[in-house]
Amino acid sequence: MSVTQETPVRAPRPGAEVLAEPMRSRWSPAVFATDVPVGDDELAGMLTAAAWAPSTGNTQPWAYVVTRAGTAAYDAVIASLSNGNSGWVPTAPVVIVAAALVGEWEGRKGMGDYALYDLGQSVAHLTLQAQAVGLHTHQFAGFDHEAAAAALGIPEAYRPMVGIAVGRLGGDEHVARATEGDVARHTKDRTRRGASEVGYDGVWGTPFPG
Ligand SMILES: Cc1cc2nc3c(=O)[nH]c(=O)nc-3n(C[C@H](O)[C@H](O)[C@H](O)COP(=O)(O)O)c2cc1C
């Protein structure tokens, strides 16, 4: 069976049937359809979802720099990637750098550590909006944050936290061009600790039933 035929069983996973869409279908591929562009309307929808996330005191301490393959900005992000990410990230036609407001910028401030919390929640909304319109995302921390910030003109008040590869799921022809390591990353088993392991019932240590 080909990788592509197998991929639908990667999401949802057994035990995840209770999840509503698009959480149920979301997963992070390492092989994207490089040659299929992402529309500006789709990207605008993702940024709108990110903007409508809740945040501490409605401070909205986030910013996103969208880069498209074939531009100097995209190439600069690719050049900043860690070794482990340098094979698969460039298969995505769009890479977004997400940054949190940790200082003061144009009269706005985040709320200390909550700026990082708020950015994560905003990114979650962005990724789920992407999934809902048939796109996939894969976040990555493995890049030179300072180099990327300098190349993209991100001010010091904003801390780059994560890159987000965006595109459509790669087909067999894309998988065939990927390295063995990236195919392994693409097809690795997805596991989670269960609800009764992460949730306690009333008091710490008493597993939530189910
Ligand atoms: C903040 C953050 C940083 C991550 N960094 C990397 C990374 O540098 N390279 C990578 O391949 N995946 C990275 N990931 C992806 C995770 O490994 C992935 O989300 C996790 O294994 C769960 O898989 P799933 O998204 O398919 O459910 C990162 C995810 C997050 C949220």
Side-chain angles (χ1 to χ4, degrees):
M1 186 182 273
S2 74
V3 169
T4 308
Q5 284 168 322
E6 280 173 10
T7 46
V9 303
R10 296 176 55 67
R13 302 296 295 155
E17 295 84 358
V18 299
L19 294 182
E21 292 291 1
M23 289 174 293
R24 199 171 175 210
S25 298
R26 190 210 60 80
W27 63 285
S28 303
V31 181
F32 287 88
T34 316
D35 40 350
V36 185
V38 178
D40 281 353
D41 52 338
E42 293 170 313
L43 291 167
M46 290 164 59
L47 294 172
T48 304
W52 275 97
S55 60
T56 321
N58 200 23
T59 44
Q60 307 167 56
W62 43 65
Y64 295 91
V65 182
V66 179
T67 75
R68 297 176 184 75
T71 66
Y74 179 95
D75 290 346
V77 178
I78 299 304
S80 77
L81 294 172
S82 65
N83 284 343
N85 290 334
S86 62
W88 68 267
V89 175
T91 71
V94 169
V95 175
I96 300 174
V97 173
L101 180 58
V102 293
E104 192 169 344
W105 180 251
E106 295 182 338
R108 298 178 45 248
K109 281 204 285 196
M111 294 276 214
D113 289 348
Y114 278 98
L116 307 181
Y117 178 95
D118 291 339
L119 175 68
Q121 186 153 211
S122 173
V123 171
H125 284 221
L126 179 151
T127 61
L128 291 172
Q129 171 72 21
Q131 194 72 45
V133 298
L135 294 163
H136 278 270
T137 56
H138 188 154
Q139 298 174 56
F140 57 90
F143 66 107
D144 183 332
H145 295 195
E146 284 176 16
L152 301 178
I154 297 173
E156 257 180 42
Y158 278 88
R159 185 192 301 172
M161 289 298 295
V162 78
I164 311 164
V166 184
R168 289 182 173 72
L169 188 60
D172 286 342
E173 69 276 26
H174 304 101
V175 171
R177 290 200 286 270
T179 64
E180 211 174 296
D182 286 337
V183 173
R185 196 186 289 251
H186 188 63
T187 53
K188 77 171 188 287
D189 197 20
R190 298 179 65 239
T191 59
R192 288 298 193 274
R193 295 189 296 141
S196 61
E197 292 173 279
V198 301
Y200 297 131
D201 198 3
V203 62
W204 188 272
T206 304
F208 194 84

